[in-house]
Amino acid sequence: GGMLTPDPVLGWPVSPDGRRLLIVLRPAFPLQDVEKAEELAKSVASALERRLPDGVTASVLGGHAQSAENARVIRGDISRIVVFSTAGFLGVYLALVRSFGLVWLWLVPFCASAFALGLMGSLFPKLSGLALAFGASVLGVAEDYAVHTHFALRSNRPEDSVLGVMTGPLLAGFFVNVSGFAALGLSGMPVVRQLACFAAMTMGFGVLLALFVLPQCPGFAGPAIRGREARAPKRRPVWGRTLLSTAFLLALCAALAGAMRFDASPRRMGAGAQEMQEAMRDLRAAWGLRERTMLLVTGATSDEALEGVRRLAARMPGASLAGLVPDAEKARENVLRWNAFVREEGATLTRTLEAAAREQGFSPDAFAAFTGLLRPATPPEGTDAIVGCLRAAGLANLVDACLSAPAGTAKDWTAALFAQEGAKLPEDLGDPAARATLFSPGSLEAALREQFARECRLVPVAWALCFFVILAYHRRFLPTLVASLPPLCALACILLVMVFSGGALTLAHLAAMPLVFGLAADHGISVVHDMRCGLRLGIRRSILVSSLTTLTGMGLLALARHPVLHDMGQVIFWGLLAEGPASLLLLPLLWRREGSDGENA
């Protein structure tokens, strides 16, 4: 036991019962570097598979392992979504389109997604795997506008007239969807902002194709649908029915929201998160470890950051790592002692190590990483130079554990100090320790709960944005209220299913709701436009086709293994399952023919 060096964070590497050995790896790359994390995970798995003796088992946990697991799960989800979505689109088109136009409809989502992916690569230096997986599911949304245009062109009306009538509602529907994405742009989670941008770009390219490119493509319009009349009686919405339906849906949503449970725990944010938490609990139980509190102290230079750490350590009993990087005077003394050792023993030690390597069957340069350090060093000037010496001595990982600065930038340095669980920052810290941040074991859960409260506000904001965009298009209150009912139906269905299934709302559920609102309001606009103008432009069939293709695209996220994608897919599936029938069956009941008896507006 005396020969073992304790890990500065977790403690001793051998458990008290002597049956468990702890090996700590500190990779020199960040958690976000997924490719290197996967390489590391494969190397560790291969080593454990080949090197462990019989009867010995091992488990691996850590942030880099979870990054690799996330990438593996998301990659599998993307492949399944693309395959099943493509097959689903083709099945829906063959069953309901029944014309050569299905070839063009089938190509639209892939062209739109490729266009959006190219723009995303130029706008964001690094794309989130979750955003890419969600982008794969947007295939079912990109062709919605093309479907509307296709069935409208198959009505018994001149092509120019159809395009003139359809342009307004299609653009209004697009801007309603963009308003939902704009609400997601207010999210505090970068991945949510990325997927909102991805979806908006995909739909934007889709609407351009539907209005300007596809009508010129041979065979896109297809033959006219038999038995369809070009016109129908104009209708007006009824105040009483509309207000009663709206009040009922709002009351139902409020009651269900009050009965919902909320889950803001980290286990719903990544693949394998729950297993990692359980393994961490086992690790602490085996070693008798207590959770630590980390304090991050920021300074303009590394000297300021370390000085803040020293001040905190002096006032906090039980703090550790404060003396890892010595001050400048102590560092110069250490360098002088090292130079004296190199002059006296360096050559002899190098020859001894080379001879030992040959005797053991290794190459003569097996210890070159160490013998290369046996040369005189220059006394450092300031802490930044000390850090450079430590990195040159092969202690980069240890330095990064408690002292770091953004690579290639002149931003502030941050130094870390570890203390016992429940430690609190002393009052009146003074500069620069006043810039310290405490990160306790419960900080992540608290941060997620705070983020959850902010994301909850996005749901009513998204519905309000949809409402005002529709109002700007219709310029009348009652038709606007009718068109905004499908999002409320979708929300009521989502909450109803979750309450009766015993589920809990997560951050991913909330992030998907504005998307559902935009899609549902899009269909509401189409139905209201059809009712008001009295034209039969294939709205019912186009809504049916677009709803089914969206369900086979975004709805398939409910089958994903990644918890975030799975939760988003649940919301999208149940929301779209409710808004389609609401648009086709409920909204027409709120209208009457012009000139008929009753209260009209």
Side-chain angles (χ1 to χ4, degrees):
M3 298 296 292
L4 296 173
T5 302
D7 177 81
V9 179
L10 296 176
W12 292 94
V14 177
S15 61
D17 59 9
R19 300 180 58 188
R20 297 177 177 88
L21 174 67
L22 175 67
I23 300 176
V24 180
L25 301 178
R26 286 193 175 85
F29 51 87
L31 295 174
Q32 295 79 9
D33 196 333
V34 176
E35 292 182 1
K36 291 185 178 179
E38 288 186 292
E39 291 178 6
L40 176 64
K42 290 178 181 177
S43 300
V44 172
S46 176
L48 293 178
E49 182 179 353
R50 292 181 300 171
R51 303 289 183 178
L52 289 180
D54 295 337
V56 177
T57 59
S59 59
V60 181
L61 68 150
H64 292 82
Q66 190 177 9
S67 294
E69 178 66 11
N70 267 313
R72 187 186 66 81
V73 172
I74 290 173
R75 194 178 296 115
D77 288 338
I78 290 176
S79 62
R80 285 191 295 272
I81 290 170
V82 171
V83 170
F84 288 114
S85 294
T86 304
F89 296 163
L90 189 58
V92 172
Y93 293 153
L94 289 173
L96 298 176
V97 177
R98 300 177 184 175
S99 77
F100 184 76
L102 66 86
V103 175
W104 300 109
L105 292 176
W106 198 55
L107 291 176
V108 166
F110 300 101
C111 295
S113 296
F115 171 80
L117 184 61
L119 282 182
M120 289 286 290
S122 62
L123 291 177
F124 297 96
K126 201 169 188 65
L127 294 180
S128 165
L130 290 173
L132 292 177
F134 185 83
S137 71
V138 177
L139 294 175
V141 183
E143 42 73 73
D144 278 5
Y145 302 108
V147 169
H148 283 293
T149 304
H150 170 78
F151 284 109
L153 289 173
R154 294 178 68 179
S155 63
N156 295 317
R157 297 181 60 85
E159 181 176 321
D160 293 343
S161 174
V162 168
L163 293 177
V165 172
M166 289 296 297
T167 299
L170 287 186
L171 289 178
F174 168 70
F175 285 116
V176 164
N177 274 295
V178 169
S179 68
F181 303 144
L184 290 181
L186 302 175
S187 171
M189 297 184 290
V191 63
V192 174
R193 296 195 296 270
Q194 278 196 18
L195 65 87
C197 186
F198 200 146
M201 289 178 180
T202 303
M203 298 188 74
F205 191 69
V207 76
L208 291 177
L209 289 176
L211 291 176
F212 301 107
V213 178
L214 293 177
Q216 313 304 322
C217 296
F220 173 72
I225 298 178
R226 296 179 181 179
R228 173 178 295 174
E229 298 179 4
R231 298 194 64 87
K234 291 184 179 181
R235 295 174 178 265
R236 289 181 178 272
V238 181
W239 272 101
R241 297 175 187 175
T242 303
L243 293 179
L244 184 62
S245 301
T246 305
F248 171 76
L249 288 172
L250 287 173
L252 179 61
C253 291
L256 292 172
M260 281 300 306
R261 294 188 303 108
F262 302 98
D263 185 357
S265 62
R267 68 176 180 272
R268 299 301 305 171
M269 300 305 293
Q274 185 170 357
E275 291 79 1
M276 189 178 74
Q277 287 181 326
E278 293 174 356
M280 196 65 195
R281 284 194 293 268
D282 294 341
L283 179 69
R284 294 195 185 98
W287 267 263
L289 300 174
R290 298 175 59 190
E291 293 193 4
R292 300 292 186 94
T293 295
M294 179 185 291
L295 298 101
L296 302 178
V297 183
T298 304
T301 65
S302 55
D303 285 312
E304 285 191 10
L306 290 169
E307 179 59 27
V309 163
R310 293 188 181 99
R311 291 185 189 181
L312 280 177
R315 303 177 62 181
M316 295 182 64
S320 61
L321 294 188
L324 177 67
V325 179
D327 55 32
E329 183 178 352
K330 182 65 175 177
R332 281 192 289 271
E333 294 178 3
N334 292 341
V335 169
L336 293 176
R337 288 192 295 109
W338 174 258
N339 288 343
F341 170 78
V342 169
R343 285 193 300 270
E344 296 173 5
E345 305 289 345
T348 302
L349 182 57
T350 299
R351 290 192 297 270
T352 301
L353 289 173
E354 291 176 350
R358 286 190 294 270
E359 290 175 3
Q360 299 297 326
F362 297 106
S363 62
D365 60 350
F367 297 102
F370 177 74
T371 56
L373 299 175
L374 296 175
R375 58 178 183 269
T378 303
E381 296 295 335
T383 311
D384 290 354
I386 299 172
V387 172
C389 290
L390 291 172
R391 293 186 186 278
L395 300 177
N397 292 342
L398 193 58
V399 172
D400 291 337
C402 70
L403 184 66
S404 64
T409 69
K411 294 185 179 180
D412 292 344
W413 284 74
T414 300
L417 172 68
F418 293 90
Q420 294 296 333
E421 181 182 7
K424 296 181 179 180
L425 285 172
E427 298 180 0
D428 302 326
L429 294 175
D431 186 73
R435 303 173 67 185
T437 303
L438 185 143
F439 188 85
S440 63
S443 296
L444 180 57
E445 288 81 354
L448 287 175
R449 285 194 295 270
E450 183 180 347
Q451 183 65 40
F452 192 92
R454 288 195 295 266
E455 299 293 323
C456 281
R457 303 187 190 108
L458 296 183
V459 176
V461 168
W463 187 81
L465 287 174
C466 290
F467 182 87
F468 285 112
V469 172
I470 300 172
L471 182 61
Y473 171 66
H474 287 301
R475 300 180 183 177
R476 298 187 66 181
F477 178 78
L478 196 55
T480 300
L481 194 59
V482 173
S484 60
L485 288 181
L488 288 180
C489 292
L491 178 60
C493 181
I494 293 167
L495 297 178
L496 197 65
V497 169
M498 298 193 71
V499 166
F500 283 95
S501 66
L505 275 179
T506 66
L507 281 168
H509 288 140
L510 295 176
M513 285 184 184
L515 299 174
V516 176
F517 288 174
L519 296 169
D522 191 352
H523 290 165
I525 289 174
S526 299
V527 171
V528 170
H529 179 268
D530 190 58
M531 292 287 183
R532 293 186 70 186
C533 69
L535 299 175
R536 293 190 179 276
L537 298 177
I539 294 300
R540 292 180 178 274
R541 187 171 297 196
S542 62
I543 289 178
L544 178 60
V545 172
S546 65
S547 295
L548 289 175
T549 54
T550 304
L551 279 173
T552 57
M554 299 177 75
L556 283 177
L557 287 175
L559 303 178
R561 294 182 56 201
H562 196 283
V564 172
L565 296 176
H566 172 77
D567 290 349
M568 294 182 74
Q570 275 190 321
V571 167
I572 294 169
F573 179 83
W574 292 112
L576 295 182
L577 201 64
E579 69 84 16
S583 300
L584 295 175
L585 302 177
L586 172 63
L587 297 194
L589 297 177
L590 306 179
W591 296 68
R592 285 180 176 171
R593 290 186 181 182
E594 286 189 350
S596 63
D597 295 335
E599 183 185 13
N600 294 333

